[in-house]
Amino acid sequence: MRRTALLASAALLTGLLPWASARAADDPPPTPVDRFEGEVPFASQPAEGIFTWGSDADDPPALRFAARADAPEGGKVLGGTYDISGYGGFTHDFAAGEPAHDWSAHEGVRFWWDGHDSGGKIAFEIKDGGANGEASELWTAAFTDDFTGWKQIRIPFADFAYRTDYQPVGGIDHVLGLKEMWGYAVTLPVGVKGDFAMDAVELYGRADQSLRASVTTDAAVHPVREGATAQVKVVLATTGSAPVEEPVTVHYETGGGTAEPGRDYTPVSGTLTFPAGSASGTARTVAVPTRRDKAAEPAETVPLKLTVTGAKAPAETPQVVIDAHGLPYLDTRLPVRKRVADLLSRMNLAEKAGQMTQAERGAVGAGSDIGLGSLLSGGGSTPTPNTPAAWAKMIDGFQLRAQATRFQIPLVYGVDAVHGHNNLAGATIMPHNIGIGASRDPQLAEDTGSVTAAEVRATGIPWDFAPCLCVTRDERWGRSYESFGEDPALVDSMETMIQGLQGRADGRDLKRDDKVLATAKHFVGDGGTAYGSSTTGTYTIDQGVTTVTRQQLADIHLAPYRTAVRRGIGTVMPSYSSLDITGDGRGAVKMHARGDMINGELKGRMGFGGFVISDWNAIDQLPGDYAAHVRTAVNAGVDMMMVPYGYKDFAGALVDEVKAGRVSQRRIDDAVSRILTEKFALGLFEHPYADTSGAAAIGSPAHRAVARKAAAESQVLLKNDGNVLPLRKSQKVYVAGSNADDLGNQTGGWTLTWQGSSGNGTSGTTILQGLRRAGGDVTYSRDASAPTGGHDVGVVVVGETPYAEGVGDVGNGHDLELSAADKAAVDKVCAAMKCAVLIVSGRPQLVGDRLAGIDALVASWLPGTEGDGVADVLYGARPFTGQLPVTWPRSGAQLPINVGDASYDPQFPYGWGLTTRTSVPKGGAATLRALAAAAATAERAHAGRTGRELVTRARLLVQEKAAGHLTEAVAKPFADADHLLLTGRYGKAVEKLAEAYRAA
């Protein structure tokens, strides 16, 4: 039945509820929410009803409507059993299609609970604002089962607190308005089996004005220079902006901070009055004068205590902060090393441990306890609304909190902007790295990094956890698309992206408003994990074990990091994976514990001078107890720990380990010096707040033009029988397939959320839209159910749906086969007309069984938001120039398969990529001999550009002959030639191509 049917009359309620007569005479009658007589069904989201949830399949409780003779109201109660290991409970969501409920007239919510005196804590949440019950603010309160039998639990709305550890939409307005309520939820106790019974959820009492009116201040922290006067604005706010009906008074008084009254500031006290009828937004100002002296000092605090009558008081006491002054670390004329040394010498152990700690934004709430080195946004952890201005405001708020610490050390905020500012709605989303590798264009890689950096920094974020320098060696890995390719030489060539992100290698550009601190990840060997070696949940390969000789480690996996260090990379992130070096006797050791690699190889032999940041909760995977996790990772060389929700535990444990002598003070000082050095380099001490001058360029035509070019250059033409591509505007084109008109599939994982999602949730152009915008005569039928007759050519866009990390591992709910629907679309369209098949995916898909029936095949990778770029090459506005960054296998049985393997017989070799250029080189063996000689001359002369052009001419010539004849004798030297090209051995590369030519 509809919820409105439950709004019973006062007379009926008096008869039903024995306690109704006890209510205050002037209170409104109680309003029932749930009687549990069966009027609200058990259901599943998002329908109206009661539904269960939990952290795994065993955690949701079992519910029933049970007849009870002792039911406090009616004849039935809601009962159930539970056995919860993680978290679990149940929710009643109100109908999303109906108006939200208005609870603002009442004092609170009450219900009957059948107690067992278990001592368990039961959380009760209410859902306020937003679009529906699953997109609303959560406000939480709790009661304890410390009684036996039925008891009525009363929770005034004033007792509910905003949840800071989890919000499904990141918060609406952080105000419990009560006018748009979408339901409630109950979280049951963890770790014990139990049963419960509940009855008669209802609203009671008359709302106090303090529920509708609150007093806030313009900021929780007010930094001022010594001698200046702080102006603290005190603001009256009301629900629905209604005037207050009763006066509100605010008594204020300074005192209790680290500043000394009379010496550092002039004490003030008094009372502010907001008379009855005062409008919401009415403000008063309290002036707090500070005093100047001649001493150099750290920052000092002056709390302004507020006592409020007639409204809800601020959640915390505002503080005036007298800025630190006169200390050497604040002197911009000094070299950074001297500033770091001075600041370090003044810090205590707890402050140093704080600098080594990184927390998730959602864990710190408003951030009143910030004494941390860093905050981050995990994938999908965004402010609401998800706009550039909201990001900047949020981060400025955190930075303001940091100003209340002794030395006002700014935070360095980080995000995973791995293909553009991908957490931000409306940002320019680039192809994932696998597509950038396919472009073989180092300047393009740098340009995409520059756009990403500009958009990230314009929202106040100075640190990007990118680029990934993994060398992917097995396409079953769910992170394959994060790699530039399978050849370390290709990865090396694409590291120009670091300069796009950071600027010049000496770090002088980091202060700019369009550059960010970059991160090389994941050190080292994450791309080489063996299939079946992962021990993380249901993952099959991600976070597994990489087993290599020392030479293989150096040549394949360490090589990109040597280049990154030379390019001035600011931070490095170790891998979740384990490293097993053949013959070292240690076996498989988690990378966060490998001091020989972090301290020895990275910081020692490579000379890395930045700081090492752990991966998300990675230390929890180390052996031993928590103290062992902390000391092992820190002693191995990890400088800052990403401990999203356990940041207090980490900082406390680190202090204990130092005091116990298990972590040296020298090691702590090294870590903190590295962190502070990068903060000074970024200019955060002088400019901690967001510079939003570049915000107008986010998602701009200029930025999208770079992404469009990247999308075009990433397209790899694998087959083109009969020159089906490029298309002609005069042709009638039939477009089908699951990925033709789906921006979410096109952008892949790490887009708005960690895993990404299908659908058009961000701003951009799908491939179908690009084809239409290019002027094509296009018919679209996703499943190819529309009639195919009368069309000249088909374009079938198929491939994967989004995933990230080990969630996307083959064998973990994924494979390398096209879906049944995609196969059916390919079969139908390609049987009816000439066809081009585009595969939108993060890795090769197995299409050998259908290849004979496909005229043209394109590896589109994950091209980002600019489908126009794909249309550009399909219609010939740009030629196809991309090359395979990884080997395309014939079957899953061949995996792993990589360039350089002794046995190498793929569907398409590494480096393969046909072109639609109007002029393709002609010639034969004699031409190749001449090209080889010229390339060798260019190599001796260190004429890289000429050498590359000569090898490209030879490659295109060979492809003309070899297309359709790709045997092992052709594929192996062909792939080897591309590796030789990337390592500067141009003459040998052409010789290998000549070998492939002879075998074709």
Side-chain angles (χ1 to χ4, degrees):
M1 63 186 289
R2 293 292 183 192
R3 302 302 306 146
T4 50
L6 290 179
L7 301 180
S9 69
L12 176 60
L13 284 164
T14 301
L16 287 173
L17 308 178
W19 59 87
S21 59
R23 64 180 175 84
D26 60 346
D27 282 356
T31 300
V33 176
D34 269 331
R35 298 180 62 229
F36 302 122
E37 301 299 309
E39 74 280 0
V40 178
F42 296 129
S44 298
Q45 295 169 286
E48 177 191 16
I50 300 168
F51 55 86
T52 62
W53 38 265
S55 53
D56 58 38
D58 296 328
D59 283 347
L63 301 182
R64 65 186 182 278
F65 293 127
R68 289 267 298 252
D70 64 344
E73 186 276 325
K76 294 180 181 179
V77 301
L78 177 67
T81 57
Y82 58 90
D83 182 8
I84 301 168
S85 58
Y87 62 85
F90 61 91
T91 288
H92 177 191
D93 268 2
F94 304 153
E98 297 294 320
H101 295 199
D102 184 350
W103 290 2
S104 63
H106 292 277
E107 177 185 350
V109 61
R110 66 189 182 189
F111 50 88
W112 290 87
W113 191 268
D114 188 14
H116 298 287
D117 200 17
S118 66
K121 183 179 179 181
I122 297 118
F124 188 89
E125 287 178 352
I126 55 179
K127 302 183 172 191
D128 177 48
N132 55 61
E134 298 308 295
S136 56
E137 278 185 348
L138 300 182
W139 292 76
T140 187
F143 65 96
T144 302
D145 182 3
D146 56 2
F147 54 91
T148 302
W150 287 107
K151 177 181 178 180
Q152 190 177 49
I153 307 297
R154 292 177 172 236
I155 309 177
F157 292 130
D159 288 355
F160 283 89
Y162 181 83
R163 275 195 68 170
T164 58
D165 60 331
Y166 171 75
Q167 287 288 344
V169 295
I172 307 297
D173 58 8
H174 303 270
V175 174
L176 182 56
L178 296 172
K179 287 183 174 293
E180 293 182 295
M181 304 304 298
W182 290 105
Y184 65 87
V186 176
T187 302
L188 295 164
V190 175
V192 292
K193 290 185 178 181
D195 61 82
F196 75 93
M198 182 182 187
D199 200 11
V201 182
E202 65 176 12
L203 311 177
Y204 73 91
R206 179 179 298 279
D208 186 271
Q209 180 171 280
S210 64
L211 289 174
R212 302 190 302 275
S214 61
V215 168
T216 61
T217 57
D218 54 338
V221 178
H222 294 76
V224 293
R225 292 185 178 181
E226 186 190 39
T229 297
Q231 303 289 335
V232 181
K233 185 179 290 186
V234 180
V235 184
L236 178 68
T238 64
T239 301
S241 299
V244 290
E245 298 174 359
E246 303 166 11
V248 174
T249 60
V250 181
H251 178 75
Y252 61 88
E253 182 177 6
T254 54
T258 58
E260 183 179 334
R263 186 178 73 87
D264 296 316
Y265 69 97
T266 301
V268 298
S269 63
T271 300
L272 306 174
T273 300
F274 298 91
S278 294
S280 182
T282 303
R284 305 280 190 270
T285 299
V286 177
V288 181
T290 68
R291 295 183 173 185
R292 185 184 301 275
D293 59 32
K294 296 181 179 179
E297 295 174 306
E300 297 171 305
T301 58
V302 185
L304 182 64
K305 300 173 185 177
L306 303 178
T307 304
V308 181
T309 303
K312 189 174 183 178
E316 60 186 293
T317 298
Q319 295 188 82
V320 173
V321 177
I322 305 171
D323 287 337
H325 53 276
L327 301 174
Y329 78 90
L330 298 169
D331 188 348
T332 58
R333 297 168 297 179
L334 292 177
V336 167
R337 60 181 177 80
K338 288 190 176 181
R339 298 178 72 184
V340 169
D342 176 70
L343 178 51
L344 189 69
S345 71
R346 300 175 186 279
M347 297 170 68
N348 61 36
L349 178 56
E351 288 165 334
K352 292 175 182 178
Q355 285 302 299
M356 295 174 66
T357 307
Q358 183 185 64
E360 218 287 333
R361 60 173 279 277
V364 300
S368 58
D369 62 349
I370 285 182
L372 306 174
S374 177
L375 293 176
L376 83 152
S377 279
S381 176
T382 67
T384 300
N386 187 359
T387 63
W391 276 93
K393 180 180 179 181
M394 175 186 74
I395 292 166
D396 282 355
F398 290 130
Q399 293 288 21
L400 184 63
R401 303 285 186 163
Q403 294 298 297
T405 60
R406 269 207 311 164
F407 300 113
Q408 300 181 301
I409 302 172
L411 296 157
V412 55
Y413 199 100
V415 293
D416 284 280
V418 298
H419 63 140
H421 195 353
N422 44 256
N423 280 301
L424 172 65
T428 308
I429 305 300
M430 303 292 172
H432 272 291
N433 282 357
I434 196 75
I436 302 299
S439 76
R440 294 301 201 281
D441 187 342
Q443 184 59 57
L444 177 67
E446 182 172 345
D447 292 345
T448 61
S450 294
V451 170
T452 298
E455 297 200 359
V456 169
R457 195 70 183 256
T459 56
I461 301 168
W463 186 13
D464 185 4
F465 306 134
C468 184
L469 301 184
C470 51
V471 181
T472 178
R473 306 292 284 179
D474 191 328
E475 279 59 64
R476 290 172 291 190
W477 188 33
R479 303 190 82 139
S480 292
Y481 62 75
E482 295 187 47
S483 173
F484 292 116
E486 71 186 33
D487 184 352
L490 175 57
V491 175
D492 186 278
S493 71
M494 294 293 108
E495 290 187 52
T496 49
M497 185 177 283
I498 294 171
Q499 263 56 68
L501 293 167
Q502 288 196 170
R504 285 169 287 189
D506 61 7
R508 74 178 74 175
D509 295 328
L510 285 172
K511 288 185 173 70
R512 285 172 39 176
D513 63 4
D514 62 348
K515 294 299 173 189
V516 294
L517 193 67
T519 307
K521 65 183 188 183
H522 304 89
F523 185 83
V524 60
D526 54 336
T529 51
Y531 188 78
S533 67
S534 181
T535 56
T536 300
T538 56
Y539 294 5
T540 58
I541 184 168
D542 187 34
Q543 304 185 21
V545 180
T546 298
T547 303
V548 285
T549 65
R550 286 201 176 273
Q551 193 62 51
Q552 288 171 327
L553 177 65
D555 292 346
I556 297 173
H557 299 292
L558 281 172
Y561 291 91
R562 287 192 287 269
T563 299
V565 171
R566 287 196 302 270
R567 288 186 173 275
I569 194 76
T571 63
V572 171
M573 181 182 291
S575 176
Y576 281 117
S577 59
S578 299
L579 181 62
D580 185 355
I581 302 176
T582 305
D584 77 349
R586 299 183 64 186
V589 179
K590 284 285 184 181
M591 274 306 308
H592 282 74
R594 291 215 67 137
D596 59 328
M597 289 289 108
I598 300 172
N599 284 329
E601 189 67 40
L602 179 65
K603 293 181 176 179
R605 284 178 284 279
M606 292 186 192
F608 172 61
F611 70 88
V612 176
I613 171 70
S614 85
D615 211 332
W616 180 284
N617 277 336
I619 63 170
D620 291 349
Q621 297 187 5
L622 301 182
D625 59 15
Y626 191 70
H629 298 169
V630 171
R631 66 174 173 268
T632 298
V634 172
N635 286 334
V638 183
D639 300 306
M640 182 184 282
M641 221 64 67
M642 188 186 293
V643 278
Y645 295 95
Y647 64 98
K648 293 180 181 178
D649 293 336
F650 167 75
L654 179 57
V655 168
D656 291 344
E657 289 300 293
V658 175
K659 289 179 177 178
R662 291 184 287 267
V663 175
S664 70
Q665 185 67 57
R666 181 179 179 182
R667 172 70 194 100
I668 297 298
D669 286 352
D670 171 61
V672 177
S673 294
R674 290 169 176 269
I675 294 163
L676 294 177
T677 296
E678 298 303 331
K679 289 186 176 184
F680 278 116
L682 285 162
L684 294 177
F685 280 83
E686 291 73 47
H687 303 287
Y689 304 114
D691 181 344
T692 59
S693 58
I698 294 173
S700 66
H703 285 185
R704 291 186 182 275
V706 174
R708 179 174 182 167
K709 180 182 180 185
E713 291 193 18
S714 70
Q715 304 298 295
V716 181
L717 184 58
L718 301 173
K719 179 181 180 182
N720 195 25
D721 286 0
N723 293 322
V724 169
L725 296 177
L727 305 172
R728 298 186 301 277
K729 299 285 179 67
S730 59
Q731 291 176 309
K732 291 187 176 181
V733 181
Y734 187 98
V735 178
S738 61
N739 287 351
D741 194 34
D742 193 305
L743 205 56
N745 291 353
Q746 190 174 301
T747 52
W750 288 109
T751 306
L752 294 183
T753 62
W754 174 39
Q755 291 294 316
S757 62
S758 299
N760 298 333
T762 190
S763 302
T765 305
T766 66
I767 293 171
L768 172 67
Q769 290 169 333
L771 290 170
R772 286 174 169 161
R773 284 157 59 116
D777 184 353
V778 172
T779 297
Y780 171 59
S781 175
R782 176 187 171 95
D783 60 358
S785 60
T788 56
H791 294 89
D792 300 306
V793 62
V795 174
V796 191
V797 189
V798 295
E800 296 184 303
T801 55
Y803 54 81
E805 301 190 36
V807 176
D809 285 352
V810 167
N812 189 23
H814 294 265
D815 56 39
L816 298 181
E817 297 279 348
L818 298 178
S819 70
D822 279 349
K823 288 178 179 179
V826 169
D827 292 346
K828 181 174 182 180
V829 175
C830 292
M833 67 193 80
K834 291 183 177 181
C835 71
V837 173
L838 277 62
I839 299 181
V840 173
S841 64
R843 53 199 169 188
Q845 304 290 284
L846 302 175
V847 294
D849 59 340
R850 282 170 168 75
L851 191 58
I854 296 171
D855 299 293
L857 181 66
V858 179
S860 287
W861 309 113
L862 298 169
T865 51
E866 306 313 300
D868 287 325
V870 181
D872 285 341
V873 292
L874 290 177
Y875 271 109
R878 290 178 182 269
F880 278 93
T881 57
Q883 297 174 247
L884 282 181
V886 293
T887 300
W888 198 285
R890 291 185 187 276
S891 71
Q894 290 184 311
L895 296 172
I897 182 171
N898 295 287
V899 57
D901 287 354
S903 176
Y904 189 77
D905 185 22
Q907 193 83 66
F908 299 101
Y910 169 77
W912 185 263
L914 304 175
T915 188
T916 51
R917 285 175 173 155
T918 53
S919 58
V920 177
K922 304 296 182 184
T927 302
L928 288 169
R929 285 193 296 271
L931 288 171
T937 300
E939 182 179 338
R940 289 191 295 271
H942 303 289
R945 181 174 180 178
T946 300
R948 289 189 294 272
E949 289 175 350
L950 291 166
V951 177
T952 297
R953 288 177 59 192
R955 178 180 65 84
L956 295 175
L957 189 156
V958 172
Q959 284 183 159
E960 279 287 294
K961 182 183 180 185
H965 309 284
L966 284 172
T967 63
E968 182 172 7
V970 174
K972 184 170 175 52
F974 185 94
D976 291 343
D978 202 60
H979 172 73
L980 290 165
L981 164 66
L982 289 165
T983 54
R985 291 173 285 176
Y986 309 123
K988 289 291 185 183
V990 179
E991 289 177 13
K992 282 288 184 181
L993 287 168
E995 180 183 337
Y997 184 86
R998 291 191 295 272

